[in-house]
Amino acid sequence: MSTTKKEQVERKRAGKGSRTCFRCGTHQAIIRSYGLYMCRRCFRETAVKLGFRKYS
């Protein structure tokens, strides 16, 4: 069974594979709060630049 060109181009619409980190492209541990769409590792690197503070 072969895939058509349309199936190859279509983007996944729902589920874990549809959301990627806009910085590194991973599908794991995406933070979607506040519209960040960034993985937790990238968030820790850029949190201060984004205006977040660590309280404890």
Side-chain angles (χ1 to χ4, degrees):
M1 176 160 63
S2 65
T3 58
T4 64
K5 199 161 208 167
K6 183 181 177 190
E7 290 172 349
Q8 292 173 353
V9 174
E10 279 186 11
R11 188 183 151 121
K12 190 169 172 126
R13 295 182 185 172
K16 198 172 186 179
S18 66
R19 297 177 291 273
T20 60
C21 173
F22 77 90
R23 195 160 174 246
C24 68
T26 188
H27 295 281
Q28 299 174 342
I30 301 295
I31 299 171
R32 298 189 304 169
S33 301
Y34 308 109
L36 291 175
Y37 289 94
M38 174 182 301
C39 71
R40 64 178 177 81
R41 294 167 289 282
C42 292
F43 176 75
R44 286 182 59 103
E45 292 174 8
T46 60
V48 176
K49 292 178 188 175
L50 294 173
F52 289 91
R53 291 190 335 194
K54 189 172 181 181
Y55 285 108
S56 57

